[in-house]
Amino acid sequence: LRDWLGLILGKKMQLRIILAILVIGLVLTRSRMGNSAFFISLLACSFLWVFLSRRRPTTSVVVLFVSLIVIDLYIVGTWFGFDRVVERMEHSSVDIETRGNIGESVVSAITEFGLSGSGLGTFKTVFPNYKDSGIQVSYLYAHNDYLQFILEGGLAVLLLLAVLIMTIFTAYLAMRARKDPLFRGIGFASLMGVIAILIHSAVDFNLQIPANAMMFVLLLALAWIGRYGVKRER
């Protein structure tokens, strides 16, 4: 009884409850790619964590990863509408949504503006001149951060790409090289968050939203803290 009470009142249970609340919020968004990106990044980073572990993963770590999938995906998801997210995925069609056609029009604009780009924040002004006649909706964003950044930033985007690649590798090094579990966990969190946003950004405009962009920068910074942060005091 004492052990169970210790588990229920301990920090691990607090963390588990917080994770459950975050997943509930994610499921309630009904976002198809948002939910897919979360679970894909979680699974990828979890397997990487196990692969990089110098010793056999502890039971608590295994239980945490398994419970994230089983409890969140099936139990929480069933209560809070994960089935509706799946239904949206099954009924998605390029014929119904014109988001899939935006890419071709954006590529045409990129070809004309070339290396200089059209200027940051100019998508909503430039796009109407290049959009396909079949697109009846007025889009303020490209629903693809990669294409929008290339269109607006031109060659300068390559610098951002170089920083991004270096940061992802730094998060990986934090998981592999650091001995302190806190900094290894920071590397895991950074890598998982960055991967999730990168996946979702292929079909949405995450980084055009200031709050999301600020969170993304924070996740990038955490990778460097996890790799080179000072040693913790006892």
Side-chain angles (χ1 to χ4, degrees):
L1 178 60
R2 184 185 63 184
D3 291 340
W4 275 105
L5 288 175
L7 174 64
I8 294 173
L9 300 176
K11 292 184 178 180
K12 290 183 179 179
M13 183 57 68
Q14 295 176 15
L15 175 63
R16 194 64 195 86
I17 292 174
I18 292 172
L19 289 172
I21 293 174
L22 289 174
V23 173
I24 289 172
L26 179 61
V27 172
L28 288 175
T29 65
R30 305 286 190 265
S31 172
R32 292 157 293 182
M33 188 56 75
N35 284 273
S36 300
F38 170 76
F39 287 106
I40 291 173
S41 61
L42 171 63
L43 288 174
C45 291
S46 298
F47 283 120
L48 180 61
W49 177 278
V50 173
F51 176 75
L52 293 177
S53 296
R54 295 181 178 83
R55 59 181 182 275
R56 196 172 170 184
T58 62
T59 303
S60 60
V61 172
V62 175
V63 170
L64 176 62
F65 287 152
V66 172
S67 65
L68 277 170
I69 302 301
V70 175
I71 296 178
D72 297 339
L73 185 59
Y74 290 99
I75 300 179
V76 176
T78 300
W79 286 3
F80 292 93
F82 190 80
D83 55 333
R84 297 183 183 179
V85 178
V86 175
E87 184 178 353
R88 282 196 68 194
M89 291 180 178
E90 293 176 346
H91 291 85
S92 296
S93 173
V94 178
D95 297 331
I96 299 176
E97 299 186 28
T98 59
R99 270 195 267 178
N101 299 328
I102 299 178
E104 298 179 3
S105 302
V106 176
V107 171
S108 300
I110 291 174
T111 303
E112 179 163 334
F113 284 98
L115 301 180
S116 64
S118 62
L120 297 179
T122 60
F123 177 84
K124 62 182 179 182
T125 305
V126 171
F127 181 70
N129 299 321
Y130 296 90
K131 71 175 183 179
D132 187 271
S133 57
I135 301 177
Q136 304 298 328
V137 182
S138 297
Y139 285 100
L140 300 179
Y141 306 102
H143 288 269
N144 185 315
D145 278 329
Y146 304 105
L147 291 179
Q148 183 161 342
F149 274 119
I150 293 173
L151 169 62
E152 296 180 348
L155 186 62
V157 174
L158 294 179
L159 297 176
L160 298 177
L161 180 61
V163 172
L164 181 60
I165 294 175
M166 290 173 57
T167 302
I168 291 175
F169 184 67
T170 300
Y172 164 79
L173 290 179
M175 295 173 59
R176 190 188 74 175
R178 294 305 294 263
K179 296 180 180 179
D180 192 312
L182 173 62
F183 290 117
R184 294 187 67 207
I186 290 175
F188 177 94
S190 173
L191 185 62
M192 177 183 167
V194 169
I195 290 176
I197 292 180
L198 292 179
I199 293 175
H200 196 191
S201 292
V203 295
D204 221 323
F205 49 93
N206 282 296
L207 300 181
Q208 311 302 323
I209 302 172
N212 288 4
M214 183 175 66
M215 178 61 69
F216 187 65
V217 172
L218 176 61
L219 290 170
L220 296 178
L222 284 175
W224 296 88
I225 294 173
R227 177 65 182 94
Y228 298 106
V230 296
K231 294 182 179 179
R232 282 193 297 165
E233 297 293 337
R234 286 190 176 273

mmCIF file of all heavy atoms in Angstrom, residues 117-158:
data_model
loop_
_atom_site.group_PDB
_atom_site.id
_atom_site.type_symbol
_atom_site.label_atom_id
_atom_site.label_comp_id
_atom_site.label_asym_id
_atom_site.label_seq_id
_atom_site.Cartn_x
_atom_site.Cartn_y
_atom_site.Cartn_z
ATOM 1 N N GLY A 117 13.929 35.568 -53.570
ATOM 2 C CA GLY A 117 12.681 35.401 -52.847
ATOM 3 C C GLY A 117 11.774 36.611 -53.001
ATOM 4 O O GLY A 117 12.191 37.674 -53.467
ATOM 5 N N SER A 118 10.541 36.450 -52.594
ATOM 6 C CA SER A 118 9.569 37.544 -52.731
ATOM 7 C C SER A 118 9.573 38.471 -51.523
ATOM 8 O O SER A 118 8.963 39.538 -51.565
ATOM 9 C CB SER A 118 8.158 36.969 -52.917
ATOM 10 O OG SER A 118 7.767 36.213 -51.778
ATOM 11 N N GLY A 119 10.242 38.066 -50.447
ATOM 12 C CA GLY A 119 10.247 38.877 -49.226
ATOM 13 C C GLY A 119 9.408 38.222 -48.142
ATOM 14 O O GLY A 119 8.317 37.715 -48.427
ATOM 15 N N LEU A 120 9.909 38.218 -46.918
ATOM 16 C CA LEU A 120 9.193 37.566 -45.826
ATOM 17 C C LEU A 120 7.843 38.231 -45.581
ATOM 18 O O LEU A 120 7.740 39.457 -45.555
ATOM 19 C CB LEU A 120 10.038 37.605 -44.553
ATOM 20 C CG LEU A 120 11.375 36.848 -44.614
ATOM 21 C CD1 LEU A 120 12.116 36.991 -43.296
ATOM 22 C CD2 LEU A 120 11.146 35.388 -44.953
ATOM 23 N N GLY A 121 6.821 37.404 -45.427
ATOM 24 C CA GLY A 121 5.488 37.908 -45.151
ATOM 25 C C GLY A 121 4.702 38.353 -46.366
ATOM 26 O O GLY A 121 3.632 38.951 -46.230
ATOM 27 N N THR A 122 5.201 38.051 -47.569
ATOM 28 C CA THR A 122 4.532 38.532 -48.783
ATOM 29 C C THR A 122 3.673 37.475 -49.462
ATOM 30 O O THR A 122 3.121 37.731 -50.530
ATOM 31 C CB THR A 122 5.581 39.024 -49.800
ATOM 32 O OG1 THR A 122 6.455 37.927 -50.147
ATOM 33 C CG2 THR A 122 6.410 40.159 -49.222
ATOM 34 N N PHE A 123 3.533 36.303 -48.855
ATOM 35 C CA PHE A 123 2.821 35.211 -49.526
ATOM 36 C C PHE A 123 1.403 35.606 -49.915
ATOM 37 O O PHE A 123 0.974 35.379 -51.056
ATOM 38 C CB PHE A 123 2.778 33.967 -48.635
ATOM 39 C CG PHE A 123 1.999 32.837 -49.239
ATOM 40 C CD1 PHE A 123 2.590 31.974 -50.135
ATOM 41 C CD2 PHE A 123 0.656 32.651 -48.933
ATOM 42 C CE1 PHE A 123 1.866 30.935 -50.714
ATOM 43 C CE2 PHE A 123 -0.068 31.626 -49.498
ATOM 44 C CZ PHE A 123 0.547 30.764 -50.391
ATOM 45 N N LYS A 124 0.657 36.183 -48.985
ATOM 46 C CA LYS A 124 -0.745 36.499 -49.250
ATOM 47 C C LYS A 124 -0.903 37.550 -50.355
ATOM 48 O O LYS A 124 -1.963 37.645 -50.978
ATOM 49 C CB LYS A 124 -1.438 36.973 -47.976
ATOM 50 C CG LYS A 124 -0.865 38.235 -47.367
ATOM 51 C CD LYS A 124 -1.591 38.585 -46.073
ATOM 52 C CE LYS A 124 -1.008 39.835 -45.432
ATOM 53 N NZ LYS A 124 -1.676 40.154 -44.156
ATOM 54 N N THR A 125 0.169 38.322 -50.604
ATOM 55 C CA THR A 125 0.126 39.312 -51.679
ATOM 56 C C THR A 125 0.540 38.718 -53.011
ATOM 57 O O THR A 125 -0.024 39.042 -54.061
ATOM 58 C CB THR A 125 1.059 40.493 -51.351
ATOM 59 O OG1 THR A 125 0.693 41.030 -50.081
ATOM 60 C CG2 THR A 125 0.955 41.581 -52.401
ATOM 61 N N VAL A 126 1.505 37.808 -52.964
ATOM 62 C CA VAL A 126 2.074 37.232 -54.186
ATOM 63 C C VAL A 126 1.222 36.087 -54.721
ATOM 64 O O VAL A 126 0.998 35.976 -55.936
ATOM 65 C CB VAL A 126 3.517 36.743 -53.916
ATOM 66 C CG1 VAL A 126 4.047 35.935 -55.103
ATOM 67 C CG2 VAL A 126 4.417 37.925 -53.609
ATOM 68 N N PHE A 127 0.712 35.237 -53.836
ATOM 69 C CA PHE A 127 0.064 34.000 -54.258
ATOM 70 C C PHE A 127 -1.128 34.189 -55.204
ATOM 71 O O PHE A 127 -1.284 33.417 -56.160
ATOM 72 C CB PHE A 127 -0.371 33.192 -53.032
ATOM 73 C CG PHE A 127 -1.017 31.887 -53.369
ATOM 74 C CD1 PHE A 127 -0.274 30.843 -53.900
ATOM 75 C CD2 PHE A 127 -2.386 31.704 -53.181
ATOM 76 C CE1 PHE A 127 -0.877 29.637 -54.218
ATOM 77 C CE2 PHE A 127 -2.989 30.502 -53.502
ATOM 78 C CZ PHE A 127 -2.234 29.468 -54.023
ATOM 79 N N PRO A 128 -2.003 35.182 -54.994
ATOM 80 C CA PRO A 128 -3.150 35.337 -55.906
ATOM 81 C C PRO A 128 -2.751 35.479 -57.371
ATOM 82 O O PRO A 128 -3.539 35.143 -58.261
ATOM 83 C CB PRO A 128 -3.838 36.608 -55.395
ATOM 84 C CG PRO A 128 -3.494 36.659 -53.950
ATOM 85 C CD PRO A 128 -2.080 36.144 -53.872
ATOM 86 N N ASN A 129 -1.546 35.960 -57.640
ATOM 87 C CA ASN A 129 -1.114 36.132 -59.027
ATOM 88 C C ASN A 129 -0.685 34.820 -59.679
ATOM 89 O O ASN A 129 -0.503 34.775 -60.901
ATOM 90 C CB ASN A 129 0.060 37.123 -59.073
ATOM 91 C CG ASN A 129 -0.320 38.489 -58.544
ATOM 92 O OD1 ASN A 129 -1.419 38.975 -58.792
ATOM 93 N ND2 ASN A 129 0.590 39.105 -57.793
ATOM 94 N N TYR A 130 -0.526 33.777 -58.875
ATOM 95 C CA TYR A 130 -0.004 32.514 -59.409
ATOM 96 C C TYR A 130 -0.926 31.321 -59.146
ATOM 97 O O TYR A 130 -0.672 30.237 -59.676
ATOM 98 C CB TYR A 130 1.367 32.203 -58.794
ATOM 99 C CG TYR A 130 2.423 33.210 -59.140
ATOM 100 C CD1 TYR A 130 2.636 34.321 -58.328
ATOM 101 C CD2 TYR A 130 3.212 33.067 -60.277
ATOM 102 C CE1 TYR A 130 3.606 35.265 -58.646
ATOM 103 C CE2 TYR A 130 4.180 34.001 -60.597
ATOM 104 C CZ TYR A 130 4.372 35.096 -59.778
ATOM 105 O OH TYR A 130 5.329 36.019 -60.105
ATOM 106 N N LYS A 131 -1.977 31.515 -58.357
ATOM 107 C CA LYS A 131 -2.788 30.368 -57.980
ATOM 108 C C LYS A 131 -3.555 29.824 -59.174
ATOM 109 O O LYS A 131 -3.954 30.557 -60.089
ATOM 110 C CB LYS A 131 -3.749 30.736 -56.850
ATOM 111 C CG LYS A 131 -4.884 31.656 -57.224
ATOM 112 C CD LYS A 131 -5.811 31.828 -56.021
ATOM 113 C CE LYS A 131 -7.019 32.687 -56.369
ATOM 114 N NZ LYS A 131 -7.937 32.833 -55.222
ATOM 115 N N ASP A 132 -3.758 28.521 -59.137
ATOM 116 C CA ASP A 132 -4.472 27.818 -60.196
ATOM 117 C C ASP A 132 -5.924 28.282 -60.231
ATOM 118 O O ASP A 132 -6.512 28.638 -59.214
ATOM 119 C CB ASP A 132 -4.408 26.308 -59.948
ATOM 120 C CG ASP A 132 -4.981 25.516 -61.101
ATOM 121 O OD1 ASP A 132 -6.203 25.260 -61.080
ATOM 122 O OD2 ASP A 132 -4.222 25.163 -62.020
ATOM 123 N N SER A 133 -6.509 28.262 -61.404
ATOM 124 C CA SER A 133 -7.897 28.730 -61.559
ATOM 125 C C SER A 133 -8.888 27.859 -60.799
ATOM 126 O O SER A 133 -9.987 28.294 -60.465
ATOM 127 C CB SER A 133 -8.279 28.759 -63.039
ATOM 128 O OG SER A 133 -8.113 27.471 -63.619
ATOM 129 N N GLY A 134 -8.475 26.609 -60.506
ATOM 130 C CA GLY A 134 -9.370 25.709 -59.776
ATOM 131 C C GLY A 134 -9.424 25.988 -58.292
ATOM 132 O O GLY A 134 -10.272 25.447 -57.583
ATOM 133 N N ILE A 135 -8.525 26.829 -57.786
ATOM 134 C CA ILE A 135 -8.506 27.163 -56.366
ATOM 135 C C ILE A 135 -9.398 28.376 -56.142
ATOM 136 O O ILE A 135 -9.069 29.485 -56.549
ATOM 137 C CB ILE A 135 -7.054 27.452 -55.897
ATOM 138 C CG1 ILE A 135 -6.159 26.232 -56.150
ATOM 139 C CG2 ILE A 135 -7.042 27.830 -54.425
ATOM 140 C CD1 ILE A 135 -4.708 26.463 -55.787
ATOM 141 N N GLN A 136 -10.507 28.153 -55.480
ATOM 142 C CA GLN A 136 -11.476 29.220 -55.263
ATOM 143 C C GLN A 136 -11.292 29.921 -53.918
ATOM 144 O O GLN A 136 -11.838 30.999 -53.693
ATOM 145 C CB GLN A 136 -12.897 28.649 -55.341
ATOM 146 C CG GLN A 136 -13.209 27.932 -56.635
ATOM 147 C CD GLN A 136 -13.118 28.856 -57.846
ATOM 148 O OE1 GLN A 136 -13.398 30.046 -57.758
ATOM 149 N NE2 GLN A 136 -12.710 28.303 -58.988
ATOM 150 N N VAL A 137 -10.516 29.285 -53.020
ATOM 151 C CA VAL A 137 -10.337 29.834 -51.669
ATOM 152 C C VAL A 137 -9.143 30.771 -51.648
ATOM 153 O O VAL A 137 -8.136 30.532 -52.317
ATOM 154 C CB VAL A 137 -10.132 28.693 -50.652
ATOM 155 C CG1 VAL A 137 -9.983 29.248 -49.242
ATOM 156 C CG2 VAL A 137 -11.301 27.716 -50.711
ATOM 157 N N SER A 138 -9.250 31.842 -50.878
ATOM 158 C CA SER A 138 -8.126 32.766 -50.707
ATOM 159 C C SER A 138 -7.265 32.288 -49.541
ATOM 160 O O SER A 138 -7.738 32.246 -48.392
ATOM 161 C CB SER A 138 -8.633 34.186 -50.433
ATOM 162 O OG SER A 138 -9.370 34.672 -51.544
ATOM 163 N N TYR A 139 -6.042 31.924 -49.830
ATOM 164 C CA TYR A 139 -5.141 31.398 -48.808
ATOM 165 C C TYR A 139 -4.169 32.481 -48.360
ATOM 166 O O TYR A 139 -3.552 33.157 -49.179
ATOM 167 C CB TYR A 139 -4.356 30.204 -49.347
ATOM 168 C CG TYR A 139 -5.172 28.944 -49.452
ATOM 169 C CD1 TYR A 139 -5.712 28.531 -50.677
ATOM 170 C CD2 TYR A 139 -5.416 28.166 -48.334
ATOM 171 C CE1 TYR A 139 -6.466 27.374 -50.764
ATOM 172 C CE2 TYR A 139 -6.169 27.005 -48.410
ATOM 173 C CZ TYR A 139 -6.683 26.610 -49.628
ATOM 174 O OH TYR A 139 -7.431 25.474 -49.709
ATOM 175 N N LEU A 140 -4.025 32.609 -47.040
ATOM 176 C CA LEU A 140 -3.056 33.539 -46.478
ATOM 177 C C LEU A 140 -1.696 32.882 -46.295
ATOM 178 O O LEU A 140 -0.684 33.574 -46.170
ATOM 179 C CB LEU A 140 -3.557 34.076 -45.132
ATOM 180 C CG LEU A 140 -4.881 34.827 -45.147
ATOM 181 C CD1 LEU A 140 -5.247 35.282 -43.734
ATOM 182 C CD2 LEU A 140 -4.813 36.020 -46.091
ATOM 183 N N TYR A 141 -1.688 31.554 -46.270
ATOM 184 C CA TYR A 141 -0.455 30.796 -46.075
ATOM 185 C C TYR A 141 -0.432 29.623 -47.048
ATOM 186 O O TYR A 141 -1.475 29.191 -47.555
ATOM 187 C CB TYR A 141 -0.340 30.282 -44.638
ATOM 188 C CG TYR A 141 -0.478 31.361 -43.598
ATOM 189 C CD1 TYR A 141 -1.681 31.518 -42.899
ATOM 190 C CD2 TYR A 141 0.572 32.226 -43.311
ATOM 191 C CE1 TYR A 141 -1.825 32.513 -41.943
ATOM 192 C CE2 TYR A 141 0.438 33.221 -42.351
ATOM 193 C CZ TYR A 141 -0.760 33.365 -41.681
ATOM 194 O OH TYR A 141 -0.903 34.347 -40.733
ATOM 195 N N ALA A 142 0.744 29.085 -47.275
ATOM 196 C CA ALA A 142 0.904 28.027 -48.272
ATOM 197 C C ALA A 142 0.504 26.654 -47.761
ATOM 198 O O ALA A 142 0.457 25.704 -48.530
ATOM 199 C CB ALA A 142 2.361 27.978 -48.732
ATOM 200 N N HIS A 143 0.222 26.524 -46.449
ATOM 201 C CA HIS A 143 -0.052 25.224 -45.842
ATOM 202 C C HIS A 143 1.100 24.263 -46.104
ATOM 203 O O HIS A 143 0.911 23.050 -46.183
ATOM 204 C CB HIS A 143 -1.372 24.650 -46.361
ATOM 205 C CG HIS A 143 -2.573 25.376 -45.833
ATOM 206 N ND1 HIS A 143 -3.232 25.006 -44.676
ATOM 207 C CD2 HIS A 143 -3.216 26.480 -46.288
ATOM 208 C CE1 HIS A 143 -4.239 25.835 -44.454
ATOM 209 N NE2 HIS A 143 -4.240 26.740 -45.411
ATOM 210 N N ASN A 144 2.262 24.815 -46.259
ATOM 211 C CA ASN A 144 3.514 24.057 -46.377
ATOM 212 C C ASN A 144 4.638 25.046 -46.053
ATOM 213 O O ASN A 144 4.992 25.876 -46.890
ATOM 214 C CB ASN A 144 3.679 23.475 -47.775
ATOM 215 C CG ASN A 144 4.919 22.589 -47.888
ATOM 216 O OD1 ASN A 144 6.008 22.935 -47.415
ATOM 217 N ND2 ASN A 144 4.759 21.448 -48.530
ATOM 218 N N ASP A 145 5.143 24.959 -44.832
ATOM 219 C CA ASP A 145 6.143 25.938 -44.396
ATOM 220 C C ASP A 145 7.393 25.919 -45.269
ATOM 221 O O ASP A 145 8.021 26.960 -45.486
ATOM 222 C CB ASP A 145 6.544 25.674 -42.940
ATOM 223 C CG ASP A 145 5.538 26.274 -41.962
ATOM 224 O OD1 ASP A 145 4.931 27.298 -42.305
ATOM 225 O OD2 ASP A 145 5.374 25.715 -40.872
ATOM 226 N N TYR A 146 7.751 24.752 -45.774
ATOM 227 C CA TYR A 146 8.966 24.647 -46.584
ATOM 228 C C TYR A 146 8.840 25.470 -47.863
ATOM 229 O O TYR A 146 9.733 26.261 -48.191
ATOM 230 C CB TYR A 146 9.254 23.175 -46.918
ATOM 231 C CG TYR A 146 9.365 22.299 -45.697
ATOM 232 C CD1 TYR A 146 8.346 21.429 -45.341
ATOM 233 C CD2 TYR A 146 10.498 22.350 -44.891
ATOM 234 C CE1 TYR A 146 8.447 20.626 -44.221
ATOM 235 C CE2 TYR A 146 10.608 21.551 -43.766
ATOM 236 C CZ TYR A 146 9.573 20.688 -43.435
ATOM 237 O OH TYR A 146 9.669 19.909 -42.313
ATOM 238 N N LEU A 147 7.735 25.277 -48.568
ATOM 239 C CA LEU A 147 7.527 26.019 -49.805
ATOM 240 C C LEU A 147 7.390 27.512 -49.543
ATOM 241 O O LEU A 147 7.918 28.332 -50.300
ATOM 242 C CB LEU A 147 6.282 25.494 -50.528
ATOM 243 C CG LEU A 147 6.377 24.090 -51.123
ATOM 244 C CD1 LEU A 147 5.062 23.710 -51.789
ATOM 245 C CD2 LEU A 147 7.523 23.990 -52.112
ATOM 246 N N GLN A 148 6.697 27.866 -48.466
ATOM 247 C CA GLN A 148 6.493 29.288 -48.189
ATOM 248 C C GLN A 148 7.807 29.981 -47.831
ATOM 249 O O GLN A 148 8.072 31.104 -48.277
ATOM 250 C CB GLN A 148 5.491 29.469 -47.056
ATOM 251 C CG GLN A 148 5.176 30.944 -46.779
ATOM 252 C CD GLN A 148 3.896 31.135 -46.013
ATOM 253 O OE1 GLN A 148 3.057 30.241 -45.942
ATOM 254 N NE2 GLN A 148 3.714 32.311 -45.434
ATOM 255 N N PHE A 149 8.655 29.326 -47.044
ATOM 256 C CA PHE A 149 9.942 29.920 -46.687
ATOM 257 C C PHE A 149 10.846 30.055 -47.908
ATOM 258 O O PHE A 149 11.571 31.045 -48.054
ATOM 259 C CB PHE A 149 10.640 29.092 -45.606
ATOM 260 C CG PHE A 149 10.215 29.450 -44.215
ATOM 261 C CD1 PHE A 149 9.619 28.509 -43.392
ATOM 262 C CD2 PHE A 149 10.409 30.731 -43.725
ATOM 263 C CE1 PHE A 149 9.227 28.835 -42.100
ATOM 264 C CE2 PHE A 149 10.011 31.077 -42.440
ATOM 265 C CZ PHE A 149 9.420 30.124 -41.624
ATOM 266 N N ILE A 150 10.812 29.066 -48.797
ATOM 267 C CA ILE A 150 11.628 29.136 -50.013
ATOM 268 C C ILE A 150 11.152 30.271 -50.903
ATOM 269 O O ILE A 150 11.947 31.027 -51.471
ATOM 270 C CB ILE A 150 11.591 27.800 -50.770
ATOM 271 C CG1 ILE A 150 12.289 26.706 -49.949
ATOM 272 C CG2 ILE A 150 12.266 27.929 -52.130
ATOM 273 C CD1 ILE A 150 12.165 25.324 -50.543
ATOM 274 N N LEU A 151 9.820 30.411 -51.034
ATOM 275 C CA LEU A 151 9.261 31.477 -51.855
ATOM 276 C C LEU A 151 9.621 32.852 -51.298
ATOM 277 O O LEU A 151 10.055 33.738 -52.032
ATOM 278 C CB LEU A 151 7.742 31.331 -51.943
ATOM 279 C CG LEU A 151 6.973 32.513 -52.556
ATOM 280 C CD1 LEU A 151 7.402 32.736 -53.996
ATOM 281 C CD2 LEU A 151 5.469 32.287 -52.459
ATOM 282 N N GLU A 152 9.465 33.018 -50.004
ATOM 283 C CA GLU A 152 9.665 34.339 -49.400
ATOM 284 C C GLU A 152 11.128 34.651 -49.120
ATOM 285 O O GLU A 152 11.557 35.801 -49.237
ATOM 286 C CB GLU A 152 8.867 34.429 -48.096
ATOM 287 C CG GLU A 152 7.363 34.338 -48.303
ATOM 288 C CD GLU A 152 6.592 34.439 -46.995
ATOM 289 O OE1 GLU A 152 7.242 34.354 -45.926
ATOM 290 O OE2 GLU A 152 5.361 34.602 -47.031
ATOM 291 N N GLY A 153 11.905 33.621 -48.745
ATOM 292 C CA GLY A 153 13.284 33.869 -48.328
ATOM 293 C C GLY A 153 14.344 33.589 -49.361
ATOM 294 O O GLY A 153 15.478 34.066 -49.229
ATOM 295 N N GLY A 154 14.014 32.796 -50.369
ATOM 296 C CA GLY A 154 14.990 32.502 -51.403
ATOM 297 C C GLY A 154 16.190 31.740 -50.880
ATOM 298 O O GLY A 154 16.067 30.826 -50.048
ATOM 299 N N LEU A 155 17.363 32.126 -51.309
ATOM 300 C CA LEU A 155 18.601 31.423 -50.969
ATOM 301 C C LEU A 155 18.906 31.488 -49.475
ATOM 302 O O LEU A 155 19.555 30.593 -48.927
ATOM 303 C CB LEU A 155 19.770 32.021 -51.761
ATOM 304 C CG LEU A 155 21.123 31.309 -51.645
ATOM 305 C CD1 LEU A 155 21.019 29.895 -52.179
ATOM 306 C CD2 LEU A 155 22.194 32.093 -52.396
ATOM 307 N N ALA A 156 18.446 32.528 -48.806
ATOM 308 C CA ALA A 156 18.725 32.688 -47.377
ATOM 309 C C ALA A 156 18.167 31.540 -46.547
ATOM 310 O O ALA A 156 18.643 31.276 -45.435
ATOM 311 C CB ALA A 156 18.151 34.014 -46.877
ATOM 312 N N VAL A 157 17.175 30.818 -47.084
ATOM 313 C CA VAL A 157 16.578 29.699 -46.367
ATOM 314 C C VAL A 157 17.606 28.590 -46.132
ATOM 315 O O VAL A 157 17.512 27.833 -45.165
ATOM 316 C CB VAL A 157 15.357 29.156 -47.140
ATOM 317 C CG1 VAL A 157 14.799 27.903 -46.489
ATOM 318 C CG2 VAL A 157 14.274 30.222 -47.213
ATOM 319 N N LEU A 158 18.604 28.499 -47.014
ATOM 320 C CA LEU A 158 19.627 27.471 -46.853
ATOM 321 C C LEU A 158 20.402 27.647 -45.547
ATOM 322 O O LEU A 158 20.843 26.678 -44.939
ATOM 323 C CB LEU A 158 20.598 27.497 -48.042
ATOM 324 C CG LEU A 158 20.003 27.120 -49.402
ATOM 325 C CD1 LEU A 158 21.064 27.217 -50.484
ATOM 326 C CD2 LEU A 158 19.420 25.706 -49.358
#
